[in-house]
Amino acid sequence: AGGGPLLPDSVLYEIFLYLDHVDVLSVGLVCQQWHAVARDEFLWKELFYRYYRISRELLPSTYAPVLCPCTAAAVSWYDEFQRLYDTIPCVEVQALKEHNDQVLHLSFSHSGCLFASCSKDCTVKIWSNELDISLQHSSNMRPYNWSYTQFSQFNSDDSLLLVSGVFVGPHNSSSGEIAVISMENFTLLSRVRNKPYDVFGCWLNETNLISGNLHRIGRITSCSVLWLNNAFQGIESENVNVVKRLFKIQNLNASTIRTVMVADCSRYDCPDLLLDYEEQLAASSCPVFDLGSDSEEEEARAKQASAPAAGAGLQQLFGDLLEGVRPELSEAELESRVAELFLRSRTKPPEQGLLPTDSSTKAKYLIFTTGCLTYSPHQIGIKRILPHQMTTAGPVLGEERRSDEFFDSLDHVIDIHGHIIGMGLSPDHRYLYVNSRAWPRDCVISDPMQPPPIAEEIDLHVFDLKTMKEVKRALRAHRAYTPNEECFFIFLDVSRDFVASGAEDRHGYIWDRHYNICLAKLQHDNVVNSVAFSPVEQELLLTASDDSTIKVWRSPRTLRRQQASRPQPRKLLFSWLMNQKS
């Protein structure tokens, strides 16, 4: 009656804590006092943690509630709640059904205007990304003796498209091949052999791409060679190289190099992922999965010192074999022993100073899956590519090598202790996201052809390529069911705020990168093989599935804006007059 509030703010606050976010927004419309309490930052912090089920340990209570520390662009807990609620691309707006078999991979152009899709129907299709997505071109690769297309990537200026597929060669032996397509007129410019096919291939720069080759040395020992190829094979002068060997790496225990990608160190200046408070304090103590020593100089000295001993051991082993003295080893164990001794005595030492500094910001990392215990990929190898190696100019076989530097060593190895089934880089190329299916904790691998059983639950790891450390707790929600021998790659993608992945459980998944929470499940009728965010609009996501469809997902906010921008039909004056009379 006196015009004052009937309840103090503190009592309203306690009542509002029992409401969900929809009801809090509704009661905020009652009056100015209720509106002010309904926008209280402490209230929205509680709603945020409760609704998204975020661990209370993620942020310390000493943080001021008026600023969300997990995202650089956050202004308030209310805005952060709205961001996660309203900007997730979780609403299906279109289903593209032009493929007639399983869709395996999706990739956007850097401008976001186009995207490409690869499929078991052996076509690569190029789509125009407009309000309603439409097919622009389709290339059938069967005339080139391909079995299917599996991967694509636009070069940095979107003028060329790399397409990787399975090439059916003589005697029904499948290897890979890479084709380069011009985006100006969709003509095929060149084709490059790629073995094994799951190397996929990738661009190093605008005109040069990386492919692989595999040479068998023994039953479980091989050598992977990575080649730098010019996209334009029709060079006018016969004196200009179109190919050059980058690295030659020995593989042990039936392992091979697969899934190559390039990380650009020059983008590290503006990281787009902030560690939470506890991780910032413990950044120096995060677990490092590195097979080498803590000091690169010590590691290099140790390798140099062990090389003569390894050479002597190799000579001793060969001498014993020639004299008929055979060690008590199986054939596979003997081959592995010889390969290890040869590798240690004939390998070029790793490059010093892998971590990027001001003087090496032009360097790039070559990242790939590999292994040392079994054929299933369980390690990530990292090799630095120096500026002078980024062109096909120079000797075709690369730098001259001494007899004791027959193989290249890896600069860094990350052991995942599980089967790697997917990798993706953050937009700034600083963070590497890895899908893996874990092995049993204390498993022992005695036969490289019999890897351990793998978990159905997929772990999504996050590694900082600047520190080479795992910096986030593994993300979980998605699952896979195929055994080791049938396990296949599931492509993931990373945007500024989100990470998405496919899964074998007929869903795509979206997580928030900052809070480690699963935000959405995107349904298909079969396995989801690939996902792709638009590089210019993270509220647009594509998913590709074994159900032969590509689904287009947009955020609720984007849909509201599109509907508001559509012209509304005008009411005719005559209709208005008739309504007035009635």
Side-chain angles (χ1 to χ4, degrees):
L6 298 179
L7 292 174
D9 290 354
S10 59
V11 176
L12 283 176
Y13 173 81
E14 293 296 330
I15 295 173
F16 289 176
L17 283 175
Y18 289 92
L19 306 179
D20 62 21
H21 64 281
V22 177
D23 292 334
V24 169
L25 292 174
S26 298
V27 298
L29 302 175
V30 172
C31 63
Q32 291 183 354
Q33 182 207 9
W34 285 30
H35 179 269
V37 177
R39 288 298 183 92
D40 183 86
E41 279 297 287
F42 284 102
L43 174 63
W44 279 100
K45 180 180 178 180
E46 290 298 315
L47 292 173
F48 185 89
Y49 275 78
R50 185 197 312 166
Y51 182 80
Y52 294 110
R53 299 178 181 179
I54 298 176
S55 171
R56 298 284 174 169
E57 299 176 355
L58 181 62
L59 295 176
S61 58
T62 54
Y63 266 113
V66 295
L67 185 63
C68 300
C70 277
T71 51
V75 176
S76 67
W77 287 106
Y78 172 82
D79 290 336
E80 196 72 341
F81 192 108
Q82 187 178 35
R83 177 183 71 83
L84 295 186
Y85 192 84
D86 214 23
T87 65
I88 309 164
C90 58
V91 182
E92 180 185 342
V93 297
Q94 196 173 357
L96 309 175
K97 300 182 179 181
E98 279 76 356
H99 283 289
N100 54 33
D101 207 335
Q102 301 170 4
V103 188
L104 302 180
H105 185 255
L106 299 164
S107 65
F108 267 100
S109 63
H110 294 82
S111 66
C113 297
L114 301 171
F115 69 88
S117 58
C118 296
S119 168
K120 281 286 185 73
D121 64 14
C122 206
T123 65
V124 54
K125 298 186 186 297
I126 299 167
W127 308 78
S128 178
N129 180 26
E130 299 173 348
L131 187 59
D132 289 321
I133 293 173
S134 59
L135 180 62
Q136 188 170 355
H137 177 78
S138 179
S139 292
N140 184 10
M141 303 304 292
R142 289 199 191 278
Y144 305 102
N145 210 22
W146 283 31
S147 177
Y148 58 87
T149 60
Q150 61 173 351
F151 175 82
S152 65
Q153 186 183 43
F154 289 85
N155 69 342
S156 57
D157 64 0
D158 295 334
S159 61
L160 302 174
L161 179 67
L162 176 154
V163 182
S164 174
V166 175
F167 176 78
V168 182
H171 309 294
N172 296 321
S173 61
S174 294
S175 61
E177 192 170 68
I178 296 172
V180 178
I181 297 176
S182 169
M183 296 307 297
E184 182 179 359
N185 50 18
F186 303 114
T187 57
L188 182 63
L189 299 178
S190 60
R191 291 159 58 199
V192 176
R193 190 60 60 90
N194 189 41
K195 185 178 181 181
Y197 60 79
D198 50 4
V199 169
F200 295 122
C202 65
W203 291 105
L204 177 61
N205 48 44
E206 290 183 4
T207 58
N208 292 289
L209 60 99
I210 296 174
S211 66
N213 201 358
L214 183 67
H215 303 282
R216 293 290 178 185
I217 301 175
R219 190 176 71 89
I220 58 174
T221 308
S222 63
C223 173
S224 289
V225 181
L226 298 174
W227 293 89
L228 185 63
N229 308 268
N230 195 303
F232 303 95
Q233 299 286 314
I235 300 297
E236 295 84 356
S237 172
E238 63 181 11
N239 298 320
V240 178
N241 292 336
V242 295
V243 63
K244 184 174 73 173
R245 188 176 69 195
L246 271 180
F247 305 115
K248 186 175 184 180
I249 299 170
Q250 185 175 3
N251 305 309
L252 303 176
N253 293 322
S255 64
T256 60
I257 287 179
R258 314 175 188 183
T259 320
V260 298
M261 61 177 59
V262 172
D264 187 352
C265 307
S266 64
R267 304 188 187 184
Y268 289 175
D269 296 334
C270 301
D272 55 7
L273 179 64
L274 300 180
L275 306 181
D276 63 40
Y277 180 75
E278 292 178 358
E279 288 165 340
Q280 291 179 40
L281 292 179
S284 60
S285 59
C286 287
V288 182
F289 303 99
D290 189 355
L291 299 185
S293 63
D294 294 335
S295 169
E296 292 181 349
E297 293 182 357
E298 292 178 3
E299 181 180 359
R301 286 197 297 267
K303 287 194 174 185
Q304 291 173 359
S306 65
L314 189 61
Q315 292 180 358
Q316 179 65 40
L317 180 60
F318 287 158
D320 292 344
L321 291 174
L322 290 174
E323 294 177 4
V325 180
R326 183 182 176 90
E328 296 181 359
L329 298 172
S330 66
E331 184 177 342
E333 291 172 337
L334 179 60
E335 180 181 330
S336 296
R337 177 62 176 163
V338 172
E340 289 173 3
L341 290 172
F342 188 80
L343 180 63
R344 281 197 278 171
S345 62
R346 294 293 185 269
T347 300
K348 182 180 178 181
E351 300 286 348
Q352 298 301 309
L354 173 64
L355 301 183
T357 62
D358 293 339
S359 60
S360 64
T361 53
K362 291 183 180 181
K364 296 182 178 182
Y365 291 161
L366 183 64
I367 302 172
F368 45 84
T369 62
T370 182
C372 65
L373 302 175
T374 180
Y375 69 83
S376 63
H378 55 277
Q379 293 178 330
I380 298 170
I382 299 177
K383 186 68 179 174
R384 185 169 59 178
I385 306 175
L386 299 176
H388 73 274
Q389 297 174 308
M390 299 182 190
T391 174
T392 56
V396 172
L397 297 182
E399 299 176 359
E400 295 296 329
R401 298 167 182 263
R402 302 196 308 267
S403 60
D404 59 344
E405 294 183 351
F406 190 76
F407 296 111
D408 292 290
S409 62
L410 304 185
D411 293 322
H412 198 88
V413 176
I414 300 173
D415 198 307
I416 301 298
H417 194 74
H419 194 129
I420 300 172
I421 60 171
M423 293 197 303
L425 288 166
S426 61
D428 68 348
H429 282 208
R430 175 166 175 176
Y431 298 95
L432 178 67
Y433 286 73
V434 181
N435 268 335
S436 74
R437 296 173 62 183
W439 291 338
R441 181 180 299 273
D442 298 321
C443 66
V444 176
I445 301 176
S446 57
D447 183 356
M449 304 309 294
Q450 296 292 329
I454 50 179
E456 290 187 353
E457 190 172 51
I458 302 174
D459 295 326
L460 184 50
H461 303 275
V462 189
F463 294 94
D464 185 346
L465 295 179
K466 189 171 183 177
T467 62
M468 297 296 168
K469 297 178 180 180
E470 187 169 15
V471 294
K472 283 282 185 179
R473 290 176 286 274
L475 307 177
R476 291 179 177 173
H478 48 333
R479 305 182 73 85
Y481 308 109
T482 52
N484 263 309
E485 61 273 11
E486 301 175 12
C487 202
F488 54 87
F489 214 71
I490 295 177
F491 294 93
L492 57 93
D493 197 21
V494 188
S495 70
R496 184 185 68 251
D497 296 317
F498 307 126
V499 54
S501 174
E504 292 185 38
D505 57 14
R506 302 184 178 186
H507 288 88
Y509 290 82
I510 303 176
W511 294 265
D512 181 78
R513 293 179 59 194
H514 312 284
Y515 297 100
N516 289 0
I517 53 175
C518 185
L519 298 172
K521 292 175 63 177
L522 313 175
Q523 188 169 2
H524 272 267
D525 295 330
N526 211 322
V527 172
V528 178
N529 296 305
S530 179
V531 297
F533 286 102
S534 167
V536 296
E537 182 189 3
Q538 67 172 359
E539 296 180 39
L540 168 62
L541 178 70
L542 307 174
T543 55
S545 171
D546 278 358
D547 61 16
S548 303
T549 63
I550 301 170
K551 289 190 176 182
V552 184
W553 308 83
R554 295 188 184 273
S555 69
R557 181 173 69 175
T558 299
L559 292 181
R560 286 199 310 272
R561 289 175 176 175
Q562 290 178 352
Q563 293 171 357
S565 63
R566 291 176 180 172
Q568 300 295 326
R570 292 185 177 182
K571 292 184 178 180
L572 297 177
L573 179 60
F574 178 78
S575 301
W576 180 80
L577 290 173
M578 293 300 295
N579 291 334
Q580 292 296 314
K581 290 180 179 180
S582 63

